[in-house]
Amino acid sequence: MAGCCEDYFKGGETVIGGSAALRVDLLDEDAFAALHCDWADLLAKSNADPLFMSWPWLYSWWETWGESLGLELMLLGVYQADDQLVGIAPMYRHRIPLSVGMTVTRVHFLGNAWRVSPTVRTEYVGLVAKSELESDVALAVAAYLKTLTWDELVIPDSQEEAGGALGRALAEACRATPVVRSESMGVCIDTALPIEPWLASLGPNTRRKAFNRRCLFEKKLGGSLQYLENKGVSQTAFLDQLNRFHVKRWEKPCFDDKACQFHLKLLSRLSDKQHALMSRLVVNGQVVSVLYDIQAGARVYNLQSGYDENLNPKLSLGTLHLGYAIEQAFQDPGINQYDLLAGSGKNTFYKARFNGRQVSFPTVDLVRSPVLRTAYRFRSWLPGGLVSRINRVFRL
């Protein structure tokens, strides 16, 4: 698998002064594989997302797509003088030859291959840093990146519009211009409070579909909710069932072969603070809906769902299944959020109907190359046809 290029990366470490003396080391793939315990300890002391920025998620992503996409690992570990790990910048780089004879070098965060290839989606992207040293870690990483040659640094589905602390530090240290390339919306439901006020806040149609139709589903159809307990073969069968529902509805699977490989690796590596919540609705022994969630810390993430659209005209099985899962989150004192994540439905942004907190997921591009900065600046003044041509030429 592609690793670190001698002609690109300058040295293995650097020492940064400031409020905290920090050392930045460039870690290889063997170090990445062995980092799971230290990574988990650091993640627990950080403000980083406990699922998407975890070692099981990002290492499984790299193992699945790193080599096949020709990516070069750029995993930065940030250490104090006593060799204590206080920060991680999980990144890679990708060089793109353009038709105009130049090459664009993009640095990306692990978990997404924006404008490279479709993979699974990683959200809440950012640094993993000890919370009280977050700013110092960002400055240390920015100072290290300043010594390297790159044109753009992409932070997809970031936690903040400017790319967070690292984005702000890079904008100053490297004179990189932040450009918001896209923005998605998600919804996160606060389940730490009693469920009754939240239920009352729902529209009558949503409340009926998510909760009141249980009487029809359970009593008239004999339906039931089941959680998957077995691992291995059962998880593979679950993902296969999920794909079958998606093929029927969308004419394509939600997870291709590589994505299935990723999820099976992830499920086998979940830490003691993470566990899968794979549930299904069953009628007369027939699976009619599946819901793939993962709990990490005090949050449940709704990753995917699939269901039979034609079981009964009075039932919206996808909404009904979500109602069961959200109610379970309200009832569990160890869960304080049920996260519907980014993305819309087939026809509408159905997640907004669940009346949770709306979350913005901007993809921030920090542009360092003067040529690309000029291309971005002129795009806003040009007609659509020329903008499309510039986008194609520069792979913007």
Side-chain angles (χ1 to χ4, degrees):
M1 190 182 298
C4 307
C5 290
E6 294 291 340
D7 62 346
Y8 176 70
F9 298 109
K10 299 180 180 179
E13 64 180 46
T14 185
V15 177
I16 308 299
S19 60
L22 301 178
R23 185 184 81 247
V24 179
D25 288 355
L26 181 63
L27 306 179
D28 62 18
E29 294 185 41
D30 290 338
F32 192 2
L35 201 58
H36 52 98
C37 291
D38 289 341
W39 193 308
D41 290 342
L42 177 61
L43 187 63
K45 300 171 185 175
S46 77
N47 297 317
D49 187 83
L51 174 62
F52 294 117
M53 290 294 101
S54 70
W55 181 89
W57 185 280
L58 294 178
Y59 185 73
S60 297
W61 186 92
W62 176 255
E63 197 176 47
T64 303
W65 283 286
E67 182 175 21
S68 64
L69 296 181
L71 312 179
E72 298 176 17
L73 185 64
M74 199 171 82
L75 179 66
L76 304 182
V78 184
Y79 297 86
Q80 290 181 319
D82 60 358
D83 290 334
Q84 180 184 359
L85 180 69
V86 295
I88 299 170
M91 299 184 293
Y92 66 88
R93 75 105 177 213
H94 183 241
R95 288 191 288 189
I96 308 166
L98 304 181
S99 58
V100 292
M102 64 179 287
T103 297
V104 169
T105 299
R106 286 193 176 122
V107 176
H108 300 248
F109 269 74
L110 292 172
N112 290 287
W114 182 82
R115 298 293 174 90
V116 179
S117 175
T119 70
V120 296
R121 187 171 190 168
T122 299
E123 302 174 35
Y124 297 108
V125 171
L127 297 174
V128 182
K130 198 171 181 180
S131 56
E132 63 268 29
L133 293 174
E134 197 170 277
S135 178
D136 292 315
V137 167
L139 290 171
V141 171
Y144 185 90
L145 291 173
K146 185 179 180 180
T147 69
L148 307 180
T149 302
W150 50 274
D151 299 305
E152 296 177 277
L153 189 147
V154 182
I155 309 178
D157 288 333
S158 71
Q159 297 192 52
E160 299 181 49
E161 185 171 313
L166 178 61
R168 292 188 292 272
L170 282 172
E172 182 174 348
C174 302
R175 296 184 180 179
T177 304
V179 178
V180 176
R181 300 296 301 274
S182 64
E183 188 170 15
S184 297
M185 297 301 297
V187 170
C188 187
I189 301 167
D190 182 0
T191 61
L193 301 174
I195 192 173
E196 289 80 12
W198 175 76
L199 277 175
S201 74
L202 298 178
N205 193 42
T206 301
R207 191 162 53 247
R208 179 172 59 252
K209 289 180 178 181
F211 295 94
N212 298 346
R213 291 296 191 194
R214 287 184 191 176
C215 184
L216 169 62
F217 175 71
E218 294 176 4
K219 295 183 178 179
K220 292 189 177 181
L221 298 180
S224 62
L225 171 70
Q226 300 176 358
Y227 279 91
L228 186 69
E229 295 182 358
N230 298 324
K231 296 184 178 181
V233 174
S234 295
Q235 291 178 342
T236 302
F238 183 93
L239 296 179
D240 288 343
Q241 179 68 74
L242 179 58
N243 270 340
R244 286 196 294 273
F245 281 130
H246 271 254
V247 168
K248 188 174 181 179
R249 188 177 189 216
W250 301 89
E251 299 182 349
K252 62 179 181 179
C254 61
F255 298 139
D256 62 17
D257 289 344
K258 278 196 168 294
C260 285
Q261 293 171 26
F262 162 81
H263 281 287
L264 291 173
K265 289 175 182 178
L266 168 68
L267 291 168
S268 71
R269 290 169 171 157
L270 293 178
S271 72
D272 57 358
K273 295 182 180 180
Q274 303 168 322
H275 61 274
L277 300 170
M278 306 172 86
S279 61
R280 52 197 178 193
L281 299 182
V282 179
V283 174
N284 296 324
Q286 183 74 27
V287 177
V288 296
S289 178
V290 292
L291 194 68
Y292 177 23
D293 291 352
I294 289 181
Q295 180 182 348
R299 182 181 297 191
V300 173
Y301 301 78
N302 175 229
L303 296 182
Q304 267 296 350
S305 66
Y307 53 89
D308 182 353
E309 291 184 285
N310 303 312
L311 178 69
N312 186 292
K314 293 184 178 180
L315 286 178
S316 176
L317 282 175
T319 304
L320 183 73
H321 204 159
L322 276 174
Y324 279 113
I326 294 168
E327 182 182 45
Q328 177 62 34
F330 271 102
Q331 292 174 346
D332 189 333
I335 298 173
N336 58 35
Q337 290 178 315
Y338 188 90
D339 201 329
L340 294 168
L341 300 175
S344 60
K346 186 175 183 179
N347 300 309
T348 62
F349 184 44
Y350 72 93
K351 297 175 183 181
R353 299 171 186 165
F354 285 94
N355 203 27
R357 171 175 53 89
Q358 292 205 7
V359 183
S360 172
F361 292 99
T363 290
V364 180
D365 187 3
L366 291 148
V367 186
R368 191 185 193 187
S369 160
V371 173
L372 293 179
R373 281 206 301 265
T374 301
Y376 281 117
R377 185 165 58 249
F378 277 99
R379 278 196 325 168
S380 60
W381 302 342
L382 298 174
L386 285 176
V387 170
S388 297
R389 185 173 180 181
I390 289 175
N391 289 347
R392 286 195 302 271
V393 169
F394 291 101
R395 302 282 292 274
L396 301 180

